[in-house]
Amino acid sequence: MPGESGAFEIPRRTVTASVLCGFGARKLNKFCEYLDLPGLSSETFKSHCEAIYKLTPRLKEHLLELAAQAVREAHKDLNPNCESVDGVIDIAVSYDGTWHTRGHNSKVGIGCVIDLLTGIFIDYHVMSKFCQNCETTGTRMQECGENAYQIWWEDHRQDCKKNFDGSSGMMEVTGAKEIWTRSVAKHKFRYTTMLSDGDCKTYNELVALNPYDTEISKEECINHVSKRLGPALRNLVSDNSKRGVTLGGRGYGKLTQMTISKLQAYYTKAIRSHKTVENMASAVWASVMHCTSTDAEPHHTFCPQGRQSWCFFNRARARGQPAPRHQGNMNTYISKEIFCKLEPVYRKLADPDLLRRCIRGKTQNAKKSLHGVIWSRCPKHTFAFLDKVEVTTLLSVGEFNMGSTASHNFMTAQSLFVGDNTTRLGQYRDRSRLAHSRRSQEQKQLSRREKVRQATEMERRRNLLAENGPAYAPGGF
């Protein structure tokens, strides 16, 4: 640790800044190169990092304790009787896992829990199935014999960086089981409701574990649910094509890519715009039955009634006007034969049990945002071990919950002076982040992003038509 005299403050502050910004030793020295600064040797950088890593467990406990206190106070304010006799509170949380490298072979993974009421991260667990000493020294000791390896292992066990065995995909499940098991002892919380992205494996394992002797209910992220229709319909077209049945292609009433995109947009709006299972289900069926209507067979029972209805047929009826022709008024049409094929998909996605898990209307956007912050400080294209990911997650969760104050506390824990410039720039960064977040949620910005997305998609389709199909495909064909 740097002394009060500040003799080691410059290198420690430099390494701390590089950790906070996601720099490694090479990037730091490259930065120093362009500023004509001496830089740090890899040994010096490593020694300071090791000193920083030793602070992580203590700071993690303090950070999560503050988060738990804030969550407890918020729940008591909303429901003063929520606390049980033994001081335990039942709360709804969102859980998700993230991995360091893309694909399914990551050596490091993280499981995070966020309180749905406050949006505060209250716990996380970092897993690693790699230890450098085990790969090098441990392998050599195994070659020397079982006794030599056991002696080495007993001495190394406490410092081993490997805390997980199994496939990378099971890290999410293992992280959830670890967090749920310790929630009562650590925070006096029971996570009795879990919002996830649709993965059943984690939920089923928690139900089998039964950590609280009480039921754990599951809710769905509406972002993930709303995206299920598009892939399901594309798979339906592909599967039928293999059997010689054409659902897509050209032709009026066919299940083209454009039609699939529109149906997915309709489904998304149906589950986002309603707060009861009945209204959701009615809106989902209206979005597809409306598209199957003809003059001979109108199907507008599920469509909203009234003079302001989006359904041209019901709108005309409410105004006492003659029934308009469907051809020319229908933006999207699906033939009766095609509908018979896709009806099972809609029955599955309009299932009351699924829609009931979407009533809260919550998403996992907050955790995805945190994941981006973590991996921006610990890039996925460079190797990272357990200690580095631990401190990176700590700093990211701290700033998510407390803003720049968490990073300043991290500096104070190392006896690094937090001056006026540090405080001023940190506060400015917090204000900018909050202002950007508020602007992005304004209806004006939401509409603008939707228009940009639609314009980008239309341009892509125009280019494909002008170029007679994609210019690149796997294998060059």
Side-chain angles (χ1 to χ4, degrees), residues 320-364:
Q321 299 172 353
R325 292 178 56 83
H326 284 73
Q327 191 167 3
N329 286 296
M330 296 277 290
N331 294 325
T332 306
Y333 174 67
I334 303 172
S335 67
K336 185 176 181 179
E337 295 74 21
I338 299 296
F339 174 73
C340 292
K341 296 290 185 180
L342 59 83
E343 184 179 9
V345 175
Y346 270 87
R347 290 196 179 280
K348 183 177 180 180
L349 293 179
D351 182 75
D353 289 337
L354 173 63
L355 299 181
R356 192 173 294 111
R357 298 197 294 268
C358 300
I359 290 178
R360 198 187 295 259
K362 293 292 185 177
T363 70
Q364 291 192 312

Side-chain angles (χ1 to χ4, degrees), residues 220-229 267 271 354 358:
E220 300 286 349
C221 168
I222 59 172
N223 281 346
H224 287 81
V225 173
S226 64
K227 295 175 182 177
R228 293 180 185 177
L229 181 62
Y267 179 80
I271 65 173
L354 173 63
C358 300

Side-chain angles (χ1 to χ4, degrees), residues 292-298 300 312-313 323-327 329-330:
T292 65
S293 298
T294 62
D295 292 340
E297 297 183 41
H300 301 285
F312 68 92
F313 190 87
R325 292 178 56 83
H326 284 73
Q327 191 167 3
N329 286 296
M330 296 277 290

Side-chain angles (χ1 to χ4, degrees), residues 288-470:
V288 63
M289 296 301 295
H290 177 89
C291 299
T292 65
S293 298
T294 62
D295 292 340
E297 297 183 41
H299 301 291
H300 301 285
T301 306
F302 294 100
C303 297
Q305 307 294 322
R307 300 170 64 90
Q308 303 301 321
S309 173
W310 54 260
C311 174
F312 68 92
F313 190 87
N314 287 347
R315 187 169 62 246
R317 177 182 294 176
R319 295 176 180 178
Q321 299 172 353
R325 292 178 56 83
H326 284 73
Q327 191 167 3
N329 286 296
M330 296 277 290
N331 294 325
T332 306
Y333 174 67
I334 303 172
S335 67
K336 185 176 181 179
E337 295 74 21
I338 299 296
F339 174 73
C340 292
K341 296 290 185 180
L342 59 83
E343 184 179 9
V345 175
Y346 270 87
R347 290 196 179 280
K348 183 177 180 180
L349 293 179
D351 182 75
D353 289 337
L354 173 63
L355 299 181
R356 192 173 294 111
R357 298 197 294 268
C358 300
I359 290 178
R360 198 187 295 259
K362 293 292 185 177
T363 70
Q364 291 192 312
N365 290 348
K367 286 203 298 300
K368 301 303 181 184
S369 176
L370 176 73
H371 296 167
V373 175
I374 293 173
W375 303 128
S376 68
R377 286 176 164 165
C378 188
K380 294 195 173 190
H381 62 271
T382 59
F383 177 78
F385 49 92
L386 181 64
D387 285 338
K388 183 177 180 181
V389 179
E390 279 276 10
V391 72
T392 299
T393 307
L394 169 69
L395 294 170
S396 301
V397 170
E399 288 210 355
F400 191 94
N401 288 346
M402 304 169 58
S404 60
T405 303
S407 297
H408 299 169
N409 292 343
F410 181 71
M411 298 172 65
T412 303
Q414 302 176 68
S415 301
L416 298 176
F417 176 67
V418 177
D420 294 338
N421 289 327
T422 302
T423 303
R424 176 178 58 82
L425 291 173
Q427 292 174 348
Y428 173 77
R429 183 159 53 89
D430 290 342
R431 290 195 302 270
S432 299
R433 185 180 67 170
L434 290 174
H436 175 75
S437 176
R438 294 191 189 101
R439 285 196 304 270
S440 65
Q441 296 304 313
E442 293 177 356
Q443 186 60 43
K444 179 180 178 181
Q445 292 295 326
L446 295 174
S447 300
R448 177 183 176 277
R449 289 201 296 271
E450 178 62 22
K451 290 178 180 178
V452 170
R453 187 193 66 81
Q454 292 177 358
T456 302
E457 180 64 17
M458 290 179 64
E459 182 181 7
R460 185 186 71 84
R461 290 198 176 101
R462 283 197 302 268
N463 290 336
L464 286 176
L465 289 173
E467 296 164 2
N468 295 321

Side-chain angles (χ1 to χ4, degrees), residues 71-97:
V71 170
R72 181 176 294 273
E73 291 173 2
H75 279 269
K76 285 184 177 180
D77 291 341
L78 185 67
N79 182 12
N81 300 320
C82 64
E83 190 171 349
S84 62
V85 177
D86 54 358
V88 179
I89 295 178
D90 293 342
I91 65 174
V93 299
S94 174
Y95 176 79
D96 193 20

